[in-house]
Amino acid sequence: MKETVVNIVAEYLGKEASEVSTTETFKEIGLDSLDIMELVMQIEEETDCKIELSQDIDNIEKLCDYIEENK
């Protein structure tokens, strides 16, 4: 799961997956709220999971945990 999400974010940012931190906040890795919404839609398609974002989900690690809990 985490690998899928990291790959989607890396592709979106034009980076290698190894360059994307799973623990830095979305803002720290260069994403704004519009970017996050676009990525969430793409991740929802890939994972077949409806994602309800909240302030608590602020990095890839937490997003992956949310997806695992709500599949």
Side-chain angles (χ1 to χ4, degrees):
M1 172 57 55
K2 192 181 300 183
E3 184 179 332
T4 301
V5 174
V6 168
N7 287 335
I8 291 169
V9 173
E11 185 178 323
Y12 187 85
L13 291 171
K15 295 182 176 184
E16 294 294 321
S18 61
E19 297 176 273
V20 177
S21 168
T22 60
T23 55
E24 288 183 321
T25 66
F26 293 128
K27 188 174 185 176
E28 289 172 333
I29 61 175
L31 299 171
D32 62 24
S33 56
L34 184 58
D35 295 328
I36 294 166
M37 291 309 299
E38 288 181 32
L39 283 166
V40 163
M41 288 189 293
Q42 189 175 349
I43 292 166
E44 284 177 333
E45 282 181 29
E46 293 279 331
T47 61
D48 199 30
C49 176
K50 180 76 177 123
I51 300 169
E52 295 290 334
L53 281 180
S54 71
Q55 297 294 337
D56 298 335
I57 302 172
D58 63 353
N59 65 31
I60 293 172
E61 194 81 34
K62 291 177 185 173
L63 178 58
C64 291
D65 290 344
Y66 175 89
I67 294 168
E68 290 295 330
E69 291 169 11
N70 293 281
K71 265 189 153 183

